Amino acid sequence: MTSETPFREATPVSPSPGTSAGWVRILAQYREPKLGRSIFEVIVTLAPFIAIWAVAWLLIPVSYLASFALACLNGLFLVRLFCIQHDCGHGSFFAHRGLSDWLGRGLGVLTLTPYDVWRKSHSMHHSGAGNLERRGIGDVMTLTVDEYHARSVFGRLRYRAYRNPIVLFLLGPAYVFYVENRLPLGQMDGGWRVWVSSLGTTLLAVLLLAAIVWFGGLLPVLLIFVPTTMVAATLGVWLFYVQHQFEETHWDQHDDWDMYDSALHGSSHYVMPTWLQWFTANIGIHHVHHLYSRIPFYRLTEVLRDHRELAQAQRLSISESLASARLHLWDEKQRRLLSFAEAQRVYRAA
């Protein structure tokens, strides 16, 4: 949503929610997907993705640069395909759960993300977001100021390296999508389904790549496949980062943690230009998504249109999000994220 988005004047559909949990009852009315709209969203995303792949391939003999540029553009469509896969994982894209699951599994081959493995870890993320005792699965690891200073020198250096932007947004995405997703790491004991999902997705992706090499050699892989997937992976990780890593996010110890408060106050409303909001399938309206994950992405704008309070909550501009990349540690006393320098001053003053 842009700041100029008009609001529809309408009779409130329900009383003021009063609490974060109260919003759940209100948001339930937006949960039903529309079959025609869902099919349309798949077509207008998948068809251009395939077409751009084909044109980029045809341009290889003409211009490596043109082929590479188209591949980078296609990374945006791959991000949108991942967002559709994401909705399938929440069972929000089609009313029929089986249809959502099989579409999600198919898209997983293109996004290099084993659907059943990711769906399980992402569910754990939703059920524990903002809980300091449930970190480490499906999120960007964040230490508190005290935890950081309790580590050894080597431990602090490791954490600094992990939170370095080059690692988080370049090396990290490459590792996750090219290596980590090839095995159900963290879910090895999750049963046959996660193994079939992980190995099956990898096998199909390898077969697809083998066919590309068979017909076109290595150049389509190097000039199209790698740039497309890396652009998508980097943007995807960045989006996931800014959705929960901003100065006044929300973290609590387990006894003080509330899932709905954490969803509303610990998830951002990332305000982007309309074209970028389209490519990211409204995932920037993340506070609403975390409050009620069964809402299809194309109905999230309806929520903001009908509820000014949610439209104004947790707004994060692109410039503000760039500044958040320097915030790395959660201060439990000030209840905000700090930079390493700020955290050092806080620690010395304690």
Side-chain angles (χ1 to χ4, degrees), residues 317-343:
S317 69
I318 291 179
S319 60
E320 289 169 335
S321 72
L322 294 175
S324 73
R326 66 179 182 84
L327 304 177
H328 308 291
L329 296 166
W330 175 249
D331 187 324
E332 294 185 83
K333 296 182 178 66
Q334 298 186 56
R335 297 195 59 76
R336 66 186 185 96
L337 280 177
L338 305 178
S339 67
F340 285 121
E342 290 172 323

Side-chain angles (χ1 to χ4, degrees), residues 56 63-73 222-224 226-228 231:
S63 171
Y64 288 175
L65 182 59
S67 181
F68 175 81
L70 278 178
C72 292
L73 170 64
L222 298 176
L223 290 175
I224 307 174
V226 172
T228 297
V231 166

Side-chain angles (χ1 to χ4, degrees), residues 264-304:
L264 177 59
H265 301 296
S267 306
S268 66
H269 172 196
Y270 198 23
V271 183
M272 294 178 279
T274 302
W275 66 270
L276 192 52
Q277 184 173 313
W278 186 88
F279 275 114
T280 57
N282 297 328
I283 198 64
I285 309 174
H286 210 64
H287 59 318
V288 177
H289 168 67
H290 258 260
L291 272 172
Y292 208 99
S293 61
R294 291 295 300 272
I295 300 175
F297 76 80
Y298 50 78
R299 300 201 66 184
L300 290 172
T301 51
E302 295 179 36
V303 176
L304 299 191

Side-chain angles (χ1 to χ4, degrees), residues 22-81:
W23 279 112
V24 175
R25 296 188 297 272
I26 294 174
L27 296 179
Q29 66 182 304
Y30 299 93
R31 64 174 285 169
E32 294 301 324
K34 303 172 183 178
L35 179 60
R37 177 66 183 273
S38 293
I39 293 173
F40 171 79
E41 297 294 348
V42 174
I43 292 173
V44 298
T45 310
L46 186 58
F49 175 79
I50 295 173
I52 292 173
W53 236 104
V55 172
W57 194 332
L58 291 173
L59 283 175
I60 288 177
V62 179
S63 171
Y64 288 175
L65 182 59
S67 181
F68 175 81
L70 278 178
C72 292
L73 170 64
N74 219 14
L76 292 172
F77 283 97
L78 190 57
V79 167
R80 200 168 199 269
L81 288 173

Side-chain angles (χ1 to χ4, degrees), residues 2 56 124 135 148 212 237 250 272 294 328 336:
T2 63
M124 296 171 72
R135 287 167 289 172
Y148 173 76
I212 292 172
V237 170
H250 205 78
M272 294 178 279
R294 291 295 300 272
H328 308 291
R336 66 186 185 96

